[in-house]
Amino acid sequence: MSSSKADLFPCSPATVRGESTKLDASKDKIVYTNGRTVVIRDLKDAAVATTYAGHVQNTTVARISPSGYYCASADVTGTVRVWDTVGEDQVLKGEYKVITGRVKDLQWDGESKRIIAVGDGRDKFGHAFMMDSGSSTGEIIGHSKIINAVAIRHQRPFRAATAADDATIVFHQGTPFKYDKTIKTHTRFVQDVKYAPSGTHFASVGSDAKIFVYDGTNGETLGEITDSAHAGSIMACSWSTDSKSLVTSSADCTVKLWDVETRKAVTTWTLGTGVAHQQVGNAWTDSDEIVSLSMSGDLNVFDERTSSTPARVLFGPQKPVTAAVPAVAPGTFFAGTADGRVLSFTDGKYAALAGENHSSLVAGLAAAASGTIYSIGYDDHVREIDGGESFVPASYPTTSQPRSVAVAGDNTVFVAETGNVEAVRANQKVAELAPKFQPSAVAVTGTVVAVGGEDQKVRLYDWDGKTFKDVATLEGNKGAVSALAFSPDGALLAAGDSSGKIVLFNVQERKAVTSRWSFHSARIHSLAWTADGRHCASGSLDTHVYVWSVEKPMRNIAIKNAGPGGVNAVFWMRDGVLASAGADGCVRTWAITFHA
């Protein structure tokens, strides 16, 4: 038995209200961060993505060097890591502590040798250093508040511009970089500054909704772009590859394309209303695609030739994936996230579900034989997904906080809650079980309902459509039962617990078959059987995924570090393809080979 990496479906960028989110473009790829993960994503093919999880703390910005061989990524503690983007190993070139606080932006020079990182610090707000040794290449001074952005001229003589919360831009000569002058054009926070690829100009945008263009070599202000101005803070700007056009993204939910020479607005794209549609970051790729980031994490891809709507929108989980379940069609699934959203995945891309989503963490998803999906959330509601595209308007409010969900063949939904188990059909309570133990997991096959408890035991109940009848108690787990799954034929029951142990029970004989599935070191979050019932996959808080064999309990496939931060869900996308999802919001697939 063996496994190999298959496709990776990435998370969306993390956003913070009122702050600019830095995106980077390299050829047809865009680079962004979410949590401790750096994502390099191909815009042409959603499944071609690379993630880097070398940071200990949450990452803030990542940029690929002009050469394309290295990526520099920074985190909230002021640490910059330079790593190799070529090859699978992602070899670390260097790790440098550059400032004492959060790094807000960094930039490479045109030779891929020097980096300037800026942000928040006690003694300084920016640092210029060599990428291979970390030695200083000048000083970044002149600001009295947090620096939000930095831009470096890629041609010699090198120049650098930094933009800060003190409403100023500081122009630096280089190299080594040294203070040249302070530019006081903006009246409020300066959110972004960018050099044109040609090096002849650079532009700045800010919270005063103003755009200024400057000379690239001496920093002289050439003028302000005032034609059909934005109505809110401008969070980001990017130049076209020919240096003739500029695109700006604003909190007024619009993206504008400008002709720099005439200083006129060429196109305005409006993306809706409300906080979720505020534009907080952008990038312009080498293939002339404009990408603008919404506050909700959606990546809007524009073609400069069309003037009405985005050419396409890339959706994805912005928060950890807390539950996932495969749909009827092979290769499709639903993913629930920690912010209450449920996304459907089909034809290689995510789509947002219409209707009212959960208002907080999605605790579980379950699929009925008919294809209907049921979800439970920490907003204490059971919701139904109709046709895979939208939530049904009606929902069922649970008695207490739901923890686990399962669906029987007659579409009865069993919800394990804090203190009880409810049976719900057509948004109506059919029955309620109030046991003496604390329920923590539930599974169902045919007329048999299994309920796992905090007391380390699994109870089996007969369900006649109206009442629960207690028929057996299964013992063998060493911690609170956290995941349950029946084999497809209903003959076997796998029970995972908070200690990382999985016990396999024979349902008919009411006894343990094996307790040797015990290689995990932390809570089991999810269990998934193959269609033939011969193998079972498990995902755990310890970040690992295992595939276990029923016939040979000591044989297993170990997928180590399958999900940074922990694996919350595992499921089979199709025969031989296992998917895992978890704390970093990415869904990874693995090609599994079973040997006879």
Side-chain angles (χ1 to χ4, degrees), residues 6 10 14 24 62 64 85 89 109 132 152 167 226 281 285 325 348 378 402 409 443 458 469 476 501 540 550 591 595:
D24 186 42
I64 291 180
T85 59
D89 297 333
D109 73 347
D132 51 358
I152 301 178
T226 54
T285 68
V325 67
Y378 278 5
V458 179
K469 181 187 174 187
K501 186 176 183 179
S540 166
V550 173
H595 301 301

Side-chain angles (χ1 to χ4, degrees), residues 323-328 333-337 340-345 351-358 362 364-368 370-376 382-395 407 411 413 427:
V325 67
V328 176
F333 63 86
F334 290 84
T337 63
R341 295 174 80 193
V342 178
L343 298 162
S344 66
F345 183 92
L353 294 184
E356 186 182 355
N357 280 250
H358 291 279
V362 178
L365 293 167
S370 61
T372 304
I373 308 293
Y374 294 90
S375 65
I376 55 170
V382 179
R383 298 186 188 277
E384 182 182 331
I385 297 167
D386 180 37
E389 294 180 357
S390 65
F391 281 99
V392 172
S395 63
V407 189
N411 275 18
V413 182
N427 288 324

Side-chain angles (χ1 to χ4, degrees), residues 5 16 56 135 248-250 256 293 326 330 337 341 346 387 399 406-407 414 418 427 473 479 482 513 524 546 596:
K5 276 185 182 177
V16 179
V56 179
S135 56
T248 54
S249 296
S250 169
K256 288 179 183 281
L293 171 65
T337 63
R341 295 174 80 193
T346 182
T399 308
V407 189
F414 297 94
T418 307
N427 288 324
T473 301
S482 53
V513 177
I524 307 294
Y546 282 88

Side-chain angles (χ1 to χ4, degrees), residues 439-463:
S440 54
V442 66
V444 62
T445 180
T447 61
V448 180
V449 179
V451 179
E454 299 274 358
D455 61 353
Q456 308 178 6
K457 297 174 185 176
V458 179
R459 272 82 172 182
L460 297 182
Y461 297 89
D462 261 342
W463 171 251

Side-chain angles (χ1 to χ4, degrees), residues 3-27:
S3 70
S4 61
K5 276 185 182 177
D7 295 338
L8 187 154
F9 307 113
C11 55
S12 290
T15 56
V16 179
R17 189 166 182 187
E19 287 190 20
S20 174
T21 300
K22 303 294 187 265
L23 303 181
D24 186 42
S26 176
K27 298 191 173 76

Side-chain angles (χ1 to χ4, degrees), residues 135-156:
S135 56
S136 175
T137 59
E139 55 180 357
I140 306 300
I141 57 171
H143 289 292
S144 59
K145 289 184 179 176
I146 297 170
I147 301 177
N148 293 320
V150 59
I152 301 178
R153 186 173 191 258
H154 279 190
Q155 297 78 11
R156 287 185 178 269

Side-chain angles (χ1 to χ4, degrees), residues 408-421:
D410 62 354
N411 275 18
T412 303
V413 182
F414 297 94
V415 185
E417 304 166 18
T418 307
N420 63 323
V421 178

